[in-house]
Amino acid sequence: MKTRLRLLLALLAAAVLLPVHAAADPDLWLEDGASAATRDWIAARNAETERRLVQDPRHEAQRQGFLAQGAASQHDEYLNGGLVHRLVSDAAHPLGSWQVRAASAAARAIVGAGWRSVLDLDELARREGVRWKFPLWWMNPMCDTTIGARCIVQLSADGGDRTVLREIDLRSGAFVDGGFRIDTPARHYAHWIDADHLLLASDFGPGTLSNAGYARQARVWTRGTPSTEARLVFDAPEDAVLYIPHNFRHAGGTLFVAEVWHRAAGAPSWWLLDPQRGATRWQPPVDLVRYRGLAGIVGERLIVMTAQPLRHGDKTWPTGSLLALPLPGRSGTIEPVFIPGDHDAVDPVFHLAVAEDALWLGVMHDVSGRLYRAVRGAGGWTLQRQPLPEHAAVRLLTGEAAPSAALVKTESLLRPPETTLRGPAGNETLGSDHSGFDTRPYVSEQYFATSRDGTRVPYYLVRPRAARADGRGAALISAYGGFGVSMLPTFLNTEFHTDFVRPMLEAGALQVHANIRGGGEYGPGWHRAAQRRERQRGVEDLIAVAEDLARRGWADRRRLAFVGASNGGLLAAAAAVQRPDLWRAVLADVPLTDMLRFHELLTGSVWIDEYGDPREPGDRAALAALSPLHTVRDGVLYPAMLVTTSSSDDRVHPGHARRFAEALRQRGNPVLFHESSDSGHGGAASRESVAALRALQTVFLLQTLGLDPAR
């Protein structure tokens, strides 16, 4: 009760102070990236940071180390449309080359055996004078080798989410003359209907975008006609902030589904799209989780993940269960595929893939990966467990279009990835990455901290085998804790910040990987526990991990650092402001910091269901208490901070980072700020940009924590 009372008093105090903060906002000019004043401010801050960090003799060695690490240990791979896609880069090709490999008989007839290079982005840059970035993800490129040899690719000029769209031929590697093409950057989605028609979501002019900048309409685009003349088949409701198209191939044809997120909090709405007859509202018989609540079709059954417990006969299936439903319009029973236990969860983003003959699913058991192949027979669904090492991370990098096999990547914090193609023809190992550094002197262990409300919070610790819990070590903690996304214990991975493991260990520090609430490590319930007005629980979980680390003697309380990006950047800023005594150094990359206006900036209105609605009094009070920009106080010495962002970030507005850094500067705190121009939100427009950012951040840590990798 005391904890709840303290929180209530904090919320009431924040609500009382709210009009003062709202009226102040003297730094809103920093949101205008086009103004001369803002550009001058950015240039001055960048110069300060570069003088201190880039000119450090260790910076170039770190940059080269990250370049080599990226080339040695990571390939961006994805399976979609019957093809394995990857982006391969090296010193001579920093932007990379898009390569494909057949994963089905139809694809093999087009591209042959082995890897085939389709598009050299560095050569394209020389030819067109634009350093195009190729964001490899679940709908880019969009190929369907059962239809033909052509793909739709999306290219970004600045690393942002807005892309141009082109049609390319897999055999020749050339863009198709007179083919499908949009040269105006937008957030496009495109699915093949047949060889001459696309189901396209894009910017079709005034009234066709949500207030978050996402497409609200789906249209059928016919080859040889302008995209502006594409025929409307779906127009999302007025309150839609995001429309996600899904494309599921099955024996009876293709099922096109629209998942619509609405401005108000709550479940998405679902629509069935028929390219000829238009859209009809569909109400699934169970509540589905967002984004990947629909996994695909196996044996003419639609695989779904539940967002709420479901009563079925004398049993209750918990949240996060995988069920098989009859296809829309057909009759049949609901069949259980996987029912999670108390320590189990399936992450819908990383852990579901449909092959021709089976559903592949990863399961986290206390965040340690397991892998299953699920097949449907006369007696129901059978789970066949596949062998994996201890504490493995499993990712099924497989899209929805034209399922043929499953692309499975298995790894751990100290074990390089192995990628296998698994399908009807058996398993084929496509490659095993090499670490670039010797992991044998180190060990990974899992511990559990106890959060403020008594919740057990798991975390991984990576340390030298010879390290002793003597209370003198330095440690870098990373966490995310949002949107139901799980922090997997992957190997040297930029997405999960495990690429810091190598430089931290080499410098004598420890690396900690925290699985706090707000993520998906224990299913949708773990996510909801730190959603909206309960967001503070994620911060409390992080603080509990940091304190547990010190209590066990693994780290000195005066040598703790934290790194987080995007929602993790919000976590970093909030933790630094709330517990300045706990941290020596904090890295906040592309962070949210103004939680009272996030919904007004770029794609922020999409996140109201996650954070709460600043226009609603109860939510606003909770957001004010959390908002780092509004809780920075005079007379407090905050930890050394490095705040990084990108001018081309069109997801989280760079004004969040600028204004937070300025708020700290105005109060005399030791904050460094750096803004790049071409890294987008992910900071990964190219391996060069990743290496540059990580080198900057690593030198900051080395300096602030008193570390030397050449010790």
Side-chain angles (χ1 to χ4, degrees):
M1 282 297 292
K2 291 182 178 179
T3 298
R4 290 295 179 186
L5 180 60
R6 282 196 295 267
L7 178 58
L8 178 60
L9 292 173
L11 295 179
L12 291 173
V16 171
L17 293 173
L18 211 53
V20 177
H21 289 306
D25 283 341
D27 56 355
L28 281 178
W29 60 274
L30 283 169
E31 290 181 359
D32 183 4
S35 75
T38 301
R39 291 198 302 270
D40 289 345
W41 184 92
I42 294 169
R45 302 290 80 74
N46 281 357
E48 291 172 354
T49 300
E50 289 167 8
R51 279 195 298 271
R52 175 170 160 185
L53 301 181
V54 178
Q55 295 182 18
D56 187 299
R58 296 169 291 190
H59 179 271
E60 180 58 19
Q62 288 296 329
R63 193 182 73 85
Q64 292 295 335
F66 278 108
L67 278 173
Q69 178 173 304
S73 64
Q74 291 188 54
H75 293 294
D76 297 324
E77 295 165 326
Y78 214 77
L79 169 61
N80 213 19
L83 295 163
V84 180
H85 309 266
R86 73 180 183 186
L87 196 63
V88 178
S89 62
D90 54 32
H93 298 85
L95 295 178
S97 173
W98 167 36
Q99 300 178 353
V100 299
R101 180 186 175 115
S104 69
R108 199 167 298 109
I110 294 171
V111 301
W115 289 101
R116 181 188 186 94
S117 293
V118 181
L119 182 64
D120 185 330
L121 292 165
D122 294 275
E123 191 278 328
L124 181 64
R126 290 189 289 271
R127 190 168 72 239
E128 297 191 355
V130 179
R131 288 172 60 84
W132 294 111
K133 286 79 177 177
F134 188 86
L136 189 67
W137 63 312
W138 69 295
M139 283 193 287
N140 187 43
M142 180 52 70
C143 307
D144 189 336
T145 48
T146 66
I147 290 176
R150 293 176 175 179
C151 300
I152 300 298
V153 298
Q154 298 185 44
L155 303 170
S156 169
D158 59 7
D161 290 346
R162 290 178 173 85
T163 62
V164 301
L165 180 149
R166 298 184 187 181
E167 183 180 10
I168 193 169
D169 188 281
L170 286 169
R171 292 190 177 100
S172 66
F175 296 119
V176 178
D177 288 338
F180 293 112
R181 180 165 178 151
I182 300 176
D183 290 324
T184 302
R187 293 181 174 93
H188 310 287
Y189 302 118
H191 287 307
W192 290 100
I193 299 172
D194 56 39
D196 294 318
H197 296 88
L198 293 179
L199 187 63
L200 176 69
S202 186
D203 182 354
F204 297 106
T208 67
L209 297 180
S210 73
N211 63 359
Y214 288 99
R216 289 182 51 242
Q217 295 185 347
R219 301 191 180 200
V220 175
W221 185 11
T222 302
R223 182 180 299 283
T225 64
S227 62
T228 53
E229 296 180 5
R231 176 170 50 86
L232 179 67
V233 295
F234 175 62
D235 195 358
E238 286 290 335
D239 68 340
V241 293
L242 176 65
Y243 145 52
I244 302 175
H246 298 282
N247 169 14
F248 303 118
R249 183 68 55 80
H250 62 108
T254 301
L255 180 66
F256 295 106
V257 181
E259 176 182 347
V260 177
W261 296 11
H262 298 271
R263 191 174 299 118
S269 61
W270 302 88
W271 305 75
L272 305 178
L273 305 188
D274 185 304
Q276 299 302 321
R277 292 186 289 271
T280 56
R281 181 74 180 265
W282 175 55
Q283 182 61 53
V286 297
D287 291 331
L288 308 182
V289 298
R290 287 173 175 249
Y291 185 57
R292 290 295 297 276
L294 300 181
I297 298 173
V298 179
E300 296 299 282
R301 294 279 167 160
L302 185 60
I303 308 298
V304 305
M305 177 180 284
T306 62
Q308 301 291 340
L310 180 67
R311 182 78 176 174
H312 189 78
D314 60 349
K315 298 179 180 179
T316 298
W317 293 329
T319 298
S321 294
L322 289 177
L323 307 177
L325 309 181
L327 293 180
R330 301 186 188 180
S331 61
T333 60
I334 298 176
E335 302 169 349
V337 179
F338 175 78
I339 307 302
D342 291 342
H343 295 262
D344 299 327
V346 176
D347 188 299
V349 177
F350 300 119
H351 289 153
L352 294 172
V354 171
E356 282 182 349
D357 61 340
L359 171 73
W360 289 83
L361 62 142
V363 176
M364 294 172 289
H365 182 82
D366 283 332
V367 204
S368 183
R370 296 175 178 179
L371 180 64
Y372 297 91
R373 178 177 179 266
V375 294
R376 183 172 184 256
W381 291 81
T382 301
L383 294 178
Q384 303 165 349
R385 187 171 175 178
Q386 313 294 304
L388 286 182
E390 185 182 17
H391 296 319
V394 179
R395 285 182 293 157
L396 292 106
L397 306 175
T398 306
E400 297 171 349
S404 56
L407 187 68
V408 181
K409 181 168 282 191
T410 58
E411 58 200 302
S412 70
L413 285 162
L414 290 173
R415 181 178 179 272
E418 180 179 82
T419 304
T420 56
L421 190 64
R422 307 189 184 213
N427 300 341
E428 178 187 3
T429 300
L430 297 186
S432 298
D433 291 344
H434 300 288
S435 67
F437 83 109
D438 187 0
T439 63
R440 289 173 297 180
Y442 308 107
V443 64
S444 172
E445 300 167 322
Q446 188 182 47
Y447 296 97
F448 290 83
T450 301
S451 194
R452 189 174 186 175
D453 64 359
T455 300
R456 292 171 75 246
V457 180
Y459 67 92
Y460 283 103
L461 168 67
V462 187
R463 63 172 178 84
R465 292 183 185 275
R468 296 290 178 264
D470 56 11
R472 297 187 298 174
L476 174 65
I477 304 174
S478 62
Y480 184 74
F483 296 90
V485 175
S486 305
M487 281 277 287
L488 303 180
T490 57
F491 183 81
L492 302 183
N493 186 291
T494 59
E495 184 178 3
F496 301 103
H497 289 112
T498 58
D499 54 339
F500 279 110
V501 167
R502 178 193 56 80
M504 286 297 98
L505 291 176
E506 290 179 345
L510 314 176
Q511 178 79 19
V512 177
H513 196 71
N515 299 110
I516 67 174
R517 282 174 289 182
E521 289 87 346
Y522 287 102
W526 192 251
H527 172 211
R528 283 199 298 270
Q531 197 175 5
R532 296 177 66 83
R533 297 184 191 183
E534 305 296 340
R535 202 78 195 174
Q536 178 63 22
R537 285 176 173 165
V539 182
E540 293 173 357
D541 288 356
L542 172 62
I543 290 170
V545 169
E547 292 180 332
D548 191 73
L549 195 68
R551 182 185 62 80
R552 293 179 187 272
W554 287 119
D556 185 338
R557 289 180 179 269
R558 297 165 297 180
R559 301 184 75 195
L560 286 174
F562 178 76
V563 57
S566 191
N567 177 78
L570 164 63
L571 181 68
V577 170
Q578 291 184 27
R579 285 294 306 273
D581 60 304
L582 190 59
W583 312 102
R584 181 69 172 270
V586 173
L587 301 174
D589 187 26
V590 292
L592 287 86
T593 66
D594 185 346
M595 299 310 293
L596 302 183
R597 292 181 62 256
F598 75 88
H599 63 299
E600 300 178 12
L601 301 173
L602 298 178
T603 63
S605 61
V606 174
W607 313 326
I608 287 175
D609 189 66
E610 181 71 15
Y611 297 125
D613 191 340
R615 297 162 297 185
E616 197 279 321
D619 284 0
R620 188 173 180 85
L623 287 165
L626 175 71
S627 181
L629 188 64
H630 297 94
T631 49
V632 174
R633 303 185 299 277
D634 294 333
V636 176
L637 180 62
Y638 293 101
M641 292 192 69
L642 172 60
V643 182
T644 53
T645 187
S646 172
S647 303
S648 61
D649 188 342
D650 50 7
R651 208 178 308 171
V652 174
H653 197 291
H656 283 280
R658 297 170 191 153
R659 294 177 61 207
F660 182 63
E662 181 64 8
L664 292 168
R665 286 186 70 254
Q666 290 295 327
R667 291 165 173 81
N669 279 276
V671 59
L672 294 174
F673 175 91
H674 195 271
E675 183 167 323
S676 64
S677 60
D678 70 342
S679 295
H681 181 66
S686 68
R687 297 221 189 277
E688 291 174 312
S689 65
V690 172
L693 175 64
R694 284 297 189 258
L696 200 75
Q697 294 170 330
T698 300
V699 171
F700 168 75
L701 291 170
L702 297 178
Q703 290 182 355
T704 310
L705 296 177
L707 299 169
D708 186 357
R711 72 195 192 290

